[in-house]
Amino acid sequence: MKRILFFSLLAFSLQTFAQNVPCVPDAFNQDSLFGLWPDTTQNLPFVDAGIYYETYVQLKTPDVASEVPGVPPQYALLDIDSIGLIEALGLPAGIQMSCNQPSCVYDGNSIGCINIFGTTSAVGVDELEFKVDGWVTVPF
């Protein structure tokens, strides 16, 4: 009984520790155009069912609205104030995310990092999509 309790406590401690490993933005990305690395549709490491998973997604926010595909021309020259990550769509059950910014809000032209972690029993291919809100600076 003591062994089961010990191993359960150890497994819980390891998972808690792993979730608290800081996600550190890669300063190399500061000079990049905006984007996510690795690409969330092709290059994230595979998740094995029943095995703890942890990976990091690096991000660079846009500086001006023209960097964002599909922005109407009349808004193209507006400065990006900030981008807020609202949720990640398509995460399998048991997989969570946390940002290196407590509120998941990043200033325009800044770098950040998102930790994706957890254990899932789901098997299959999931398309991960980040839902964001963006704020721009409008000159008067």
Side-chain angles (χ1 to χ4, degrees), residues 12-32:
F12 176 76
S13 297
L14 287 175
Q15 184 170 357
T16 302
F17 172 74
Q19 293 173 12
N20 292 323
V21 173
C23 187
V24 179
D26 187 346
F28 178 77
N29 294 328
Q30 185 61 53
D31 294 332
S32 302

Side-chain angles (χ1 to χ4, degrees), residues 79-86 104-106 108 132-137:
D79 291 331
I80 300 290
D81 178 67
S82 57
I83 301 286
L85 177 58
I86 305 304
C104 288
V105 174
Y106 297 91
V132 299
D133 277 343
W135 295 271
V136 295
T137 302

Side-chain angles (χ1 to χ4, degrees), residues 75-125:
Y75 303 118
L77 297 178
L78 296 177
D79 291 331
I80 300 290
D81 178 67
S82 57
I83 301 286
L85 177 58
I86 305 304
E87 66 179 315
L89 304 170
L91 286 173
I95 301 295
Q96 304 171 46
M97 66 169 210
S98 67
C99 303
N100 72 304
Q101 296 289 338
S103 61
C104 288
V105 174
Y106 297 91
D107 291 339
N109 196 35
S110 68
I111 55 175
C113 184
I114 301 165
N115 183 6
I116 300 173
F117 61 91
T119 304
T120 185
S121 59
V123 177
V125 176

Side-chain angles (χ1 to χ4, degrees), residues 2-96:
K2 288 182 182 180
R3 282 186 178 176
I4 292 172
L5 183 59
F6 172 74
F7 286 117
S8 297
L9 183 59
L10 178 64
F12 176 76
S13 297
L14 287 175
Q15 184 170 357
T16 302
F17 172 74
Q19 293 173 12
N20 292 323
V21 173
C23 187
V24 179
D26 187 346
F28 178 77
N29 294 328
Q30 185 61 53
D31 294 332
S32 302
L33 294 176
F34 101 95
L36 297 171
W37 302 276
D39 180 288
T40 58
T41 59
Q42 297 176 0
N43 299 324
L44 281 177
F46 288 105
V47 178
D48 291 321
I51 298 175
Y52 182 78
Y53 175 82
E54 185 166 21
T55 193
Y56 301 96
V57 175
Q58 299 288 325
L59 67 97
K60 168 70 166 54
T61 59
D63 186 25
V64 292
S66 63
E67 293 181 48
V68 180
V71 168
Q74 65 267 32
Y75 303 118
L77 297 178
L78 296 177
D79 291 331
I80 300 290
D81 178 67
S82 57
I83 301 286
L85 177 58
I86 305 304
E87 66 179 315
L89 304 170
L91 286 173
I95 301 295
Q96 304 171 46

